Amino acid sequence: MSDIPFFHSLTGTGSIELSVLSSMTIFALVASITPGPVNLVGLSSGARYKLPVGLIFITGATLGFVVLFIAIGLGLYQVMQEFPALNRILQWGGVAFLLWLSYLLIKDNGEISEQDQKKAPGFMTGAGMQWLNPKAWLASASGIAAHTASGELNEVLIFAAIYLPICWLSLLCWVYAGAFMRQYVHNAGMMRVINRSLAGLLILSCGLILLEG
């Protein structure tokens, strides 16, 4: 099977097979594009705020995920497995954060002002949200287990490099979907319906997180 010399020069280690790269790419795309808490917040941001606001959020979310991915690849997930209580704290912290976001969406009056723009989820919200997002932890742990040789550093870095553009572009699709919806939102009442629908989906995701836990 052919391999990719470029990644040899990138990491200073052995090359990696094309079939493995293809599998990593498909996994990253499926994990990134499918609905999850971060995707829903990106959709909400696109529907409510100007496009650059959503781009800042998804850039933070992407970089936050990549840092989490590398940390898990370097052994953070094994630490969590050794101390189950930490995993429960993470799970409940993630649920609390999602419920807080749901509350903000529910109480929002649907009107958009300059002051509201300043309250939009930003870079740090996106980055921090990934560390409280059980989907991000599961995608990282399962992806690393399936596609790397026991967390081999060069393979983890290659996988992270693949994930970086795919995750950002996938989240961008959700932001643009929200921006497309905004064309048909002509009053605050319609925006309230959208916000509360998204809040309901976030609350549902909390229930699924607790059931899976």
Side-chain angles (χ1 to χ4, degrees):
M1 187 66 67
S2 60
D3 53 26
I4 308 298
F6 166 74
F7 286 108
H8 173 79
S9 61
L10 177 67
T11 63
T13 56
S15 55
I16 188 168
E17 292 186 350
L18 180 60
S19 60
V20 176
L21 290 175
S22 300
S23 181
M24 287 178 174
T25 301
I26 293 170
F27 181 92
L29 178 60
V30 172
S32 299
I33 200 72
T34 50
V38 176
N39 307 72
L40 292 176
V41 174
L43 180 68
S44 175
S45 181
R48 180 163 178 76
Y49 305 108
K50 297 176 181 177
L51 184 60
V53 175
L55 297 183
I56 292 171
F57 170 76
I58 65 170
T59 299
T62 299
L63 294 178
F65 175 79
V66 169
V67 172
L68 173 64
F69 185 89
I70 294 173
I72 288 177
L74 294 178
L76 180 57
Y77 185 72
Q78 284 74 17
V79 173
M80 300 298 292
Q81 293 296 93
E82 288 292 324
F83 301 97
L86 292 177
N87 191 49
R88 297 299 294 179
I89 291 172
L90 171 70
Q91 184 182 61
W92 282 102
V95 167
F97 184 69
L98 294 178
L99 290 176
W100 177 70
L101 290 175
S102 301
Y103 167 73
L104 293 180
L105 286 171
I106 290 171
K107 81 182 192 70
D108 186 84
N109 62 13
E111 297 178 357
I112 302 175
S113 65
E114 289 300 320
Q115 190 65 25
D116 291 327
Q117 296 286 338
K118 297 177 182 178
K119 297 178 182 177
F123 182 93
M124 293 307 298
T125 301
M129 192 173 180
Q130 292 288 29
W131 283 75
L132 293 171
N133 180 11
K135 178 190 173 186
W137 284 78
L138 179 61
S140 299
S142 58
I144 288 170
H147 296 91
T148 69
S150 301
E152 185 71 27
L153 177 59
N154 71 301
E155 294 182 358
V156 170
L157 293 177
I158 289 170
F159 204 170
I162 291 172
Y163 241 122
L164 182 64
I166 291 176
C167 180
W168 192 85
L169 290 171
S170 296
L171 292 175
L172 180 64
C173 290
W174 285 83
V175 172
Y176 267 111
F180 177 79
M181 290 168 54
R182 190 173 61 224
Q183 299 178 45
Y184 302 96
V185 177
H186 303 297
N187 56 62
M190 294 178 67
M191 180 59 73
R192 285 196 295 270
V193 171
I194 292 174
N195 285 341
R196 287 166 187 174
S197 298
L198 292 173
L201 291 174
L202 283 175
I203 293 171
L204 177 61
S205 71
C206 290
L208 294 175
I209 289 168
L210 295 177
L211 286 175
E212 291 173 358

